[in-house]
Amino acid sequence: MTHPTPIAREIQPSGPLTGRVRVPGDKSISHRSLMLSALAVGTSRIEGLLEGEDVLATAAAMRAMGATISRSDDAVWSVQGVGVGGLLQPATALEMGNSGTSTRLLMGLVASHPITATFIGDASLSKRPMGRVITPLSQMGADITSSPGGRLPLMLRGICPAIPITYTLPVASAQVKSAVLLAGLNTPGITRVIEPVATRDHSERMLRGFGAIVTVEASPQGRIIEITGEAKLKPQQIVVPGDPSSAAFLVVAATIVPGSDVVVENVGLNPTRAGLFTALRLMGASIEEQNPREVGGEPVADLRVRHAALTGIEIPPDLAPSMIDEYPVLFVAAAFATGRTIARGADELRVKESDRIAAMAAALGAAGARVEEVEDGMIIDGTGGDPLPGDATIATLLDHRIAMSMAVAALHCRKGNAGGAITLDDASPVATSYPAFFDQIAQLQSGGA
Ligand code: S3P
């Protein structure tokens, strides 16, 4: 895929952020809502779907494989499913854009259907490892021809019936777990995934919600998740909670910019996703949960965040899976803390939309932060709350979270004639997960409600 023309964007240091904003729908839950609705028999309705490029890639792929998907003017999505086993052969290659979640989960779905699909993506996605899903899906009988190194473009010939397997995850990855469970949906018998380290559990929760038989059991080897195949999924009315990974940028922005007092509404607080808020609180952040409730079977609250002085800590490595997408913005928070933050045990960051350890070390270093890149994370000596020098151009590397993290860092750089502004060489990747990001920051800068 050719990526749209880069859009450079300059971000100036900011005054206090105040007011309320509502974060958009959760990306992981949005993908799964579309996929499972497309496999149900009947029509599901989805409210609060994230309308970012990644999720739209999933919608387009499900349409290409037979689902009927439409959106009303008030942003409610309707999906008429084809039933488990009913996916059709797509007429052309599935364009995955920047989205690893679309690719890996859809590979799982296609693997146990008697169809062949070709997966293509942008330059970032085409560098990412797919071997981690190719291995288990091949064991289930799928025939996969990838580009060298197990990368996209790849062609996957599914098989029906596929073979149920027991698979122990070699990396802590919800995408790999989900790919195997989704393949198991149309596979006779029981497909089992053992995850030594718990990862986000949206697939398990939602598969159950749609009527599949899914059991989860704790064992000395880790969580054992079993799905009974040849499931019949029932259509659902889904309300997608707000994305904690998107809220993370606003929470860190309000924490580091002096004088800020912000309420971020509708934040999903599933414990497998909320590690950043735990880490920030350990560093001294002021994050108050208001109006706790349940949305779409997930715990949700509004977060009131006030500016606070942060102290560097050693980030507990066992938090890593529950904040894996939030490390880039945690590095930003640490850059303004007093003392040293050690964030390790996050090797998976190297295979995200970019190598997020190298990308953030380069970006924060260019903005004047004191950072040391280590193999599995970063060591950061903070400014003690002072602004960073800024005055840098940042390579965002087709990675939305690098772009948004450095946009947040830019808000607390030195003001005045000496510059201070941070320029993102390309802000367009933000549209993959959080199209309203810059507007919501502007809203908080003007104290918007
Ligand atoms: C996701 C899982 C995580 C995460 C990604 C979304 C998911 O990836 O980084 O943004 O929806 O299952 P890994 O499974 O590669 O850790």
Side-chain angles (χ1 to χ4, degrees):
M1 177 196 170
T2 51
H3 201 264
T5 330
I7 304 169
R9 185 168 187 129
E10 186 184 273
I11 298 139
Q12 295 290 339
S14 175
L17 304 173
T18 55
R20 306 176 74 90
V21 286
R22 191 177 173 81
V23 281
D26 188 278
K27 183 154 75 72
S28 292
I29 296 176
S30 294
H31 283 297
R32 289 157 172 83
S33 298
L34 288 168
M35 290 179 196
L36 296 182
S37 297
L39 287 174
V41 179
T43 304
S44 297
R45 280 165 50 91
I46 311 170
E47 268 177 60
L49 188 86
L50 170 65
E51 297 179 349
E53 288 170 0
D54 280 12
V55 173
L56 298 180
T58 289
M62 296 322 297
R63 276 196 191 107
M65 292 190 283
T68 305
I69 303 180
S70 59
R71 178 192 187 275
S72 70
D73 291 343
D74 54 353
V76 178
W77 288 68
S78 295
V79 181
Q80 210 180 312
V82 293
V84 170
L87 290 180
L88 303 177
Q89 167 84 39
T92 54
L94 299 177
E95 172 57 81
M96 301 284 94
N98 189 251
S99 180
T101 309
S102 309
T103 309
R104 295 191 178 120
L105 272 56
L106 290 174
M107 284 173 68
L109 281 185
V110 171
S112 57
H113 279 74
I115 58 175
T116 297
T118 298
F119 293 82
I120 57 176
D122 72 4
S124 153
L125 186 60
S126 304
K127 285 189 207 140
R128 299 182 65 186
M130 296 299 152
R132 53 183 61 198
V133 278
I134 293 173
T135 301
L137 297 178
S138 303
Q139 287 173 14
M140 294 181 80
D143 177 11
I144 303 167
T145 309
S146 70
S147 298
R151 324 248 158 201
L152 260 49
L154 65 74
M155 193 175 80
L156 192 158
R157 192 184 305 275
I159 186 165
C160 188
I163 306 154
I165 58 169
T166 292
Y167 192 68
T168 301
L169 295 182
V171 278
S173 166
Q175 292 179 353
V176 179
K177 167 176 68 177
S178 303
V180 176
L181 293 176
L182 291 176
L185 258 184
N186 195 40
T187 300
I190 289 177
T191 297
R192 193 175 292 112
V193 178
I194 303 172
E195 57 172 8
V197 179
T199 64
R200 66 190 67 193
D201 62 357
H202 306 302
S203 295
E204 298 91 302
R205 287 176 187 242
M206 293 183 73
L207 280 163
R208 268 211 203 111
F210 271 85
I213 301 172
V214 176
T215 61
V216 182
E217 195 190 308
S219 81
Q221 293 81 46
R223 289 172 83 241
I224 303 177
I225 305 138
E226 293 186 348
I227 183 163
T228 303
E230 299 178 300
K232 281 223 159 26
L233 300 188
K234 294 189 278 292
Q236 301 296 309
Q237 311 277 327
I238 300 170
V239 182
V240 179
D243 197 327
S245 301
S246 298
F249 300 106
L250 305 181
V251 168
V252 170
T255 299
I256 63 170
V257 177
S260 297
D261 186 351
V262 160
V263 177
V264 187
E265 296 176 347
N266 188 37
V267 183
L269 291 177
N270 178 316
T272 62
R273 297 287 300 282
L276 174 76
F277 307 129
T278 307
L280 287 174
R281 283 185 177 119
L282 290 172
M283 297 172 78
S286 166
I287 306 170
E288 187 192 315
E289 285 171 29
Q290 299 179 337
N291 189 16
R293 55 201 184 272
E294 238 192 42
V295 175
E298 300 269 348
V300 163
D302 302 330
L303 301 182
R304 180 176 181 191
V305 188
R306 279 171 276 193
H307 167 66
L310 299 178
T311 307
I313 59 166
E314 184 161 350
I315 305 295
D318 59 343
L319 283 181
S322 63
M323 56 181 286
I324 196 67
D325 290 338
E326 286 65 72
Y327 274 95
V329 80
L330 171 80
F331 297 150
V332 171
F336 296 100
T338 298
R340 173 166 284 196
T341 297
I342 301 174
R344 306 200 63 156
D347 344 35
E348 273 293 298
L349 296 183
R350 296 225 181 251
V351 290
K352 296 294 179 185
E353 284 83 333
S354 67
D355 173 343
R356 287 181 172 161
I357 299 176
M360 284 306 295
L364 281 171
R370 285 175 300 159
V371 297
E372 185 196 333
E373 176 181 345
V374 289
E375 202 185 312
D376 61 345
M378 210 182 292
I379 299 171
I380 302 153
D381 289 302
T383 61
D386 291 340
L388 284 172
D391 201 10
T393 296
I394 304 300
T396 60
L397 306 170
L398 293 181
D399 188 332
H400 53 137
R401 297 201 199 281
I402 303 302
M404 289 186 277
S405 297
M406 291 311 296
V408 168
L411 300 176
H412 193 37
C413 285
R414 229 173 260 157
K415 294 191 181 70
N417 297 337
I422 281 187
T423 302
L424 306 178
D425 70 341
D426 183 12
S428 66
V430 168
T432 61
S433 70
Y434 196 171
F437 172 72
F438 289 111
D439 288 346
Q440 291 198 327
I441 293 283
Q443 199 183 319
L444 294 174
Q445 285 173 321
S446 60

